[in-house]
DNA sequence: CCGGCAGCTTGCGCTAAAGCAAAGTCCACC
DNA sequence: GGTGGACTTTGCTTTAGCGCAAGCTGCCGG
């Protein structure tokens, strides 16, 4: 059991530089938790009691405005560190994390973070890198929202999803978890209706293949063209 | 000279927890550089040779798409850490930093970062916090771009600018550096024309007072109302 | 096996804001 | 003190994509 944990955790970039002994020491303080599909791992605004590494499954991280508008911040896949609010000096989680399929995560009490980085300075560097790459992602998204048309943004979003959680299937690459038109809309700053229209049009052209909470990319290369603006 | 530096650097959150001796040690490796108005501190895509703390002045950080579209990522004010690409494991600066007024910064060679955080673990924690708060900002901006109308976004942008770099003047709060309509457009994902129209309308109602590269907020409270959507 | 509902599609009209075009206006520099 | 260019304003036209509305479909639970 413990060795299973160690082997999967070894692939987490933030833990990669640690020795097996160090890994075991860190894993001693973790507990493994199971989240059923549609279960919340944590809720926006609640106290940031833990930080996590996802062992298995997929999470949707979403954020709601005071006015009730909702956006999808990102999806978390196995091996990723998440819920590190405390490390950024936040008392409360700034977003909600929901399991989109049955999932399993390792959880550490947030209070342990300071000792852990004191004992393993590489952890701090790793966390900085994790947060840094998320910052990059966010800024790329701001650029997209500022300068691209909806069609390009949807293409970009699908390509990113395929890269992060794509599974090769017979006719292309399928997003490896249930995702609705509404979810895509909340990732791209548009509406359910517009996403549906775009996907329908693409399906006509054989670029994608759809279904209820299912998206398969049949021609990623052409989609990439659309994302880059050569589509129109 | 050194003591002047130490006193201003003591206000930088990331250095706040260090003792005077430690501060002096860190400052020994820094050089102070002057950037004239409109001068570049670093350029997007170039090697990330240094990281910086701004001592005096204001910088505009901007990012350009492959297609040539440009956005303003943020403004940097005195006391802020910036250019920490290397800490996030980036080889190249992901954006360009331009002095919008004559400015002075402390610069350290990026290569020093690993030793510095090894010697002063608080630095890593501080950097994590800095990057974390930028991530928060970025995500707030994504939310705005996804869910708000242009008018609300412009109101939010002005309020943020006023908070960060506002100077009390007779009739309100003035943004303390030259900023064009174009700049505001690039902060809010809209066009020069739309910003100009909005500001003109607000000027009519006495909410703001304009001018060439000059913006004064005369009624921040009402602007806040617009930002929250109670405007219309 | 069937009913109902969550998720999806599609048509239509509307509007916010972009694009285009043409004048101001102010400042800096000669 | 004048002149050119950068910055701004403003009118008009166009359009992407939103909001509303109605109907469809496939899945899950009974």
């Amino acid at each position: 059991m413990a060795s299973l944990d160690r082997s999967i955790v070894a692939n987490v970039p933030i833990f990669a530089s640690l020795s097996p002994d160090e890994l075991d020491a860190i894993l001693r303080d973790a507990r493994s938790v199971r989240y059923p599909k549609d279960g919340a791992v944590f809720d926006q605004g609640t106290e940031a009691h833990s930080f996590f590494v996802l062992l298995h499954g997929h999470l949707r991280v979403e954020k709601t405005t005071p006015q009730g508008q909702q956006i999808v911040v990102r999806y978390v896949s196995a091996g990723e560190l998440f819920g590190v609010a405390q490390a950024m000096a936040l008392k409360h989680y700034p977003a909600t994390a929901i399991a989109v399929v049955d999932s399993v995560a390792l959880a550490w009490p947030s209070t342990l973070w300071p000792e852990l980085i004191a004992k393993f300075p590489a952890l701090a560097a790793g966390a900085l890198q994790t947060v840094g790459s998320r910052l990059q992602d966010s800024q790329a998204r701001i650029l997209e929202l500022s300068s691209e048309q909806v069609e390009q943004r949807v293409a970009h979003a699908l390509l990113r999803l395929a890269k992060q959680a794509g599974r090769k299937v017979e006719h292309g690459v399928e997003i490896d978890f249930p995702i609705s038109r509404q979810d895509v809309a909340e990732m791209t700053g548009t509406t359910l209706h517009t996403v549906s229209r775009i996907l329908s049009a693409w399906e006509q052209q054989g670029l994608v293949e759809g279904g209820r909470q299912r998206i398969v990319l049949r021609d990623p290369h052409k989609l990439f063209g659309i994302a880059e603006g050569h589509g129109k």
Side-chain angles (χ1 to χ4, degrees), chain A residues 18-133:
Chain A
L18 299 174
S19 72
D21 280 0
E22 291 175 325
L23 262 185
D24 285 342
I26 288 176
L27 288 175
R28 245 193 302 283
D29 293 318
R31 76 203 135 86
S32 153
V33 191
R34 193 181 161 282
Y35 300 94
K37 182 175 154 137
D38 298 327
V41 178
F42 51 77
D43 282 295
Q44 179 172 354
T46 61
E47 203 192 340
H49 50 77
S50 303
F51 64 93
F52 306 83
V53 166
L54 191 63
L55 290 186
H56 185 76
H58 291 278
L59 310 181
R60 184 181 64 241
V61 180
E62 58 192 27
K63 214 173 151 85
T64 306
T65 60
Q67 286 80 41
Q69 256 268 2
Q70 198 167 80
I71 65 160
V72 173
V73 175
R74 66 193 183 102
Y75 282 86
V76 179
S77 297
E80 289 184 55
L81 177 74
F82 69 98
V84 289
Q86 147 86 21
M88 313 185 304
L90 294 174
K91 283 257 190 331
H92 304 273
Y93 293 115
T96 296
I98 308 264
V100 292
V101 294
D102 288 351
S103 301
V104 180
L106 288 178
W108 287 261
S110 290
T111 50
L112 239 54
W113 179 254
E115 333 174 5
L116 282 178
I117 59 166
K119 237 179 285 182
F120 311 107
L123 278 191
L128 192 52
Q129 212 166 310
T130 300
V131 177
S133 88

Side-chain angles (χ1 to χ4, degrees), chain A residues 1-12 23-24 27 55:
Chain A
M1 194 64 181
S3 77
L4 181 90
D5 283 350
R6 194 207 288 166
S7 75
I8 183 142
V9 163
N11 296 325
V12 181
L23 262 185
D24 285 342
L27 288 175
L55 290 186

Side-chain angles (χ1 to χ4, degrees), chain A residues 142-162:
Chain A
I142 290 172
L143 247 172
E144 284 181 22
L145 284 166
S146 299
S147 68
E148 294 179 356
Q149 312 242 108
V150 170
E151 200 175 22
Q152 294 178 264
R153 304 205 301 263
V154 173
H156 268 133
L158 294 190
L159 288 170
R160 239 177 290 131
L161 285 170

